[in-house]
């Protein structure tokens, strides 16, 4: 499935990244920069999405943190449908959660074809990388946090190179942050291709 095929909804990926390109364990280094502005914006984006998609590690962290948390963001997260892609997770303990043990690429492609609002995935771990590699991510938003830290890099060696087109760039919602939003560059390339001829 390509980004130019007709889908009922988009898949949005949102992640925090350090100045040196690390994406793993953001609570350990991004917390001091994530204030009221970022929280309000995150809620705004979440309210426009219908479901949250997660890998097993994100599910384990979120299902411990959010079910008993107060506030409108937690309320929205708890109420919305959630899909966990895992072959080892049994019955989920977080409400409104469905476990999908089959091929995540095939399953997410089907979710995108189903009618509804946009889908969102947080972070860029193994699951997020798989979705990018498969060409399923329609919009990638990176919030750059002004720290250098050790951890897993955004781009893992051995992956196929990917080109992205910048949609927006500017200050983040709290001091020190930068927000960058991209879409796969092939959207523009295919849209501008001449009619007729070989493709």
């Amino acid at each position: 499935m390509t980004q130019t095929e007709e889908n009922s909804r988009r898949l949005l990926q949102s992640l925090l990244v350090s100045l040196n390109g690390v994406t793993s364990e953001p609570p350990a280094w991004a917390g001091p920069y994530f204030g009221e502005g970022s929280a309000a914006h995150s809620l705004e984006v979440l309210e426009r999405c219908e479901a949250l998609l997660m890998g097993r590690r994100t599910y384990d962290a979120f299902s411990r943190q959010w079910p008993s948390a107060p506030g409108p963001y937690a309320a929205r997260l708890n109420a919305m449908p959630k899909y966990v892609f895992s072959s080892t997770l049994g019955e989920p303990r977080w409400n409104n959660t469905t476990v999908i043990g089959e091929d995540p690429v095939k399953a997410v492609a089907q979710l995108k074809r189903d009618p509804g609002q946009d889908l969102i995935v947080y972070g860029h771990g193994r699951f997020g990388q798989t979705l990018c590699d498969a060409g399923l991510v329609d919009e990638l938003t990176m919030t750059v946090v002004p720290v250098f830290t050790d951890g897993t890099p955004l781009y893992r060696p051995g992956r196929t190179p990917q080109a992205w087109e910048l949609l927006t760039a500017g200050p983040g919602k709290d001091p020190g942050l930068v927000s960058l939003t991209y879409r796969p560059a092939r959207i523009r390339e295919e849209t501008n291709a001449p009619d007729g001829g070989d493709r």
Side-chain angles (χ1 to χ4, degrees):
M1 171 178 260
T2 69
Q3 302 291 342
T4 54
E5 290 183 27
E6 290 189 4
N7 294 304
S8 294
R9 48 190 176 180
R10 300 177 303 160
L11 175 60
L12 314 180
Q13 187 173 31
S14 179
L15 60 106
L16 299 171
V17 58
S18 73
L19 282 178
N20 59 323
V22 168
T23 59
S24 59
E25 307 300 333
W29 44 266
Y33 299 91
F34 200 89
E36 292 182 2
S38 297
H41 179 69
S42 295
L43 176 59
E44 180 183 331
V45 173
L46 198 65
E47 287 178 335
R48 296 198 303 264
C49 295
E50 182 170 329
L52 171 67
L53 279 53
M54 298 171 281
R56 175 64 187 269
R57 290 188 63 186
T58 298
Y59 169 80
D60 286 343
F62 276 33
S63 64
R64 289 192 300 266
Q65 178 180 359
W66 293 111
S68 59
Y73 182 84
R76 172 59 182 155
L77 203 58
N78 288 318
M80 72 191 306
K82 295 170 282 289
Y83 296 92
V84 183
F85 293 82
S86 172
S87 60
T88 58
L89 180 64
E91 186 68 23
R93 58 181 180 272
W94 197 4
N95 66 310
N96 299 326
T97 298
T98 300
V99 178
I100 299 179
E102 63 183 272
D103 177 11
V105 171
K106 179 180 178 180
V108 172
Q110 180 57 57
L111 285 173
K112 290 182 65 178
R113 287 191 291 265
D114 293 339
Q117 295 174 283
D118 290 342
L119 308 168
I120 189 167
V121 58
Y122 289 134
H124 197 73
R126 181 179 176 185
F127 176 61
Q129 181 76 61
T130 295
L131 299 183
C132 277
D133 289 347
L136 290 170
V137 175
D138 298 285
E139 192 171 286
L140 175 69
T141 297
M142 297 192 299
T143 299
V144 183
V145 182
V147 297
F148 291 104
T149 187
D150 290 329
T152 304
L154 170 65
Y155 185 79
R156 277 64 136 191
R159 298 289 184 177
T160 302
Q162 300 174 23
W164 295 78
E165 176 186 359
L166 182 65
L167 293 179
T168 63
K173 300 301 179 179
D174 286 300
L177 302 177
V178 173
S179 179
L180 303 169
T181 298
Y182 297 88
R183 67 178 177 182
R186 65 175 174 274
I187 292 180
R188 181 177 60 184
E189 294 166 359
E190 293 180 0
T191 300
N192 293 338
D195 292 334
D198 295 334
R199 295 194 183 187

